[in-house]
Amino acid sequence: MFAVGLTGGIGSGKSFVAQRFAARGVPIVDTDAIAHRITAPNGIAMPAIASEFGASFVAQDGSLDRARMRTLVFSDETARRRLEAITHPLIRAETERERQQASGPYVVIVVPLLVESGTWKGRVDRVLVIDCSIDTQIVRVMSRNAFTREQVLAIIARQATRDARLAAADDVIVNDNLPLESLDARVDELHRLYASCAGH
Ligand code: ADP
């Protein structure tokens, strides 16, 4: 099925915009939700994670000990790559399965690290970037996650720059203080475009 890859920095409004497409009957595949599911209790990534990193990274309920893993991969680039070598192929396979099962005019795949992780751009038919200023990201994420300004800036520093994302975009939604009516008008416009690209 024709697939739109939806991406953007943390707090840009990816989930918010994806919901506006979902409200139009578009199936959404959320790679973050898949990443979470494969590392939930009895998730399909857990046996490989346990054998690669040890039982201390598995919580009592059989899920990933997220806090422990986050601390490790934040300071250890090699560990992050070892983890991704396990999770990324599984996320890709699950995404592909959901894409094939989805029914609708086209599918929107939400991929936070589409630009950073290289292979995604070739797996989708079109890239939609949700763009906003760093100031907007800081305000949104501080209130959503109760993070400090420094924590938000540290996450942003590890992600692709706005320019890198915009360079990869076929379409852009500029989502700074965008009223819902304006957002919906833009989503309607893109929805028509994608449906016609998909042959509907
Ligand atoms: P992301 O998924 O990119 O991290 P979210 O979609 O969770 O970001 O958006 C971050 C926060 O900003 C959420 O609380 C969301 O409801 C809010 N938000 C994003 N865009 C808008 C908008 N156009 N109008 C109102 N609130 C918005």
Side-chain angles (χ1 to χ4, degrees):
M1 190 186 306
F2 187 87
V4 177
L6 185 158
T7 194
I10 184 167
S12 58
K14 294 180 294 298
S15 312
F16 195 78
V17 172
Q19 281 164 18
R20 308 315 297 164
F21 280 94
R24 288 156 178 78
V26 178
I28 309 295
V29 177
D30 181 343
T31 58
D32 253 358
I34 291 172
H36 214 268
R37 199 166 65 230
I38 66 173
T39 52
N42 302 316
I44 53 173
M46 291 315 298
I49 289 175
S51 72
E52 179 74 23
F53 293 93
S56 63
F57 284 88
V58 182
Q60 291 249 309
D61 64 0
S63 67
L64 176 65
D65 185 335
R66 287 174 212 288
R68 197 181 174 108
M69 185 58 86
R70 206 177 300 122
T71 307
L72 175 70
V73 299
F74 214 80
S75 58
D76 183 343
E77 184 68 12
T78 315
R80 187 177 62 79
R81 283 209 213 93
R82 278 160 56 214
L83 177 66
E84 289 177 355
I86 295 169
T87 56
H88 283 186
L90 294 172
I91 293 169
R92 281 198 294 272
E94 277 296 293
T95 301
E96 204 45 48
R97 195 178 61 78
E98 287 193 14
R99 173 183 182 167
Q100 272 160 24
Q101 283 176 354
S103 63
Y106 59 93
V107 62
V108 167
I109 307 179
V110 183
V111 190
L113 301 181
L114 185 142
V115 173
E116 290 84 342
S117 59
T119 64
W120 276 105
K121 199 167 161 20
R123 290 169 192 276
V124 294
D125 300 296
R126 214 165 160 99
V127 174
L128 169 59
V129 166
I130 315 303
D131 182 52
C132 71
S133 69
I134 291 181
D135 284 343
T136 301
Q137 288 180 284
I138 292 169
V139 169
R140 285 187 186 145
V141 180
M142 283 179 72
S143 75
R144 186 189 64 188
N145 299 49
F147 285 173
T148 63
R149 183 187 170 82
E150 287 65 38
Q151 283 173 312
V152 184
L153 283 170
I155 295 168
I156 291 172
R158 293 166 64 90
Q159 297 188 336
T161 61
R162 278 177 88 180
D163 283 350
R165 247 184 238 109
L166 291 173
D170 295 298
D171 309 296
V172 178
I173 293 181
V174 180
N175 188 32
D176 279 300
N177 306 318
L178 191 62
L180 195 56
E181 311 82 70
S182 312
L183 175 60
D184 273 338
R186 179 76 177 124
V187 170
D188 278 334
E189 185 185 2
L190 291 170
H191 180 55
R192 282 192 295 272
L193 171 69
Y194 298 151
S196 95
C197 287
H200 290 277

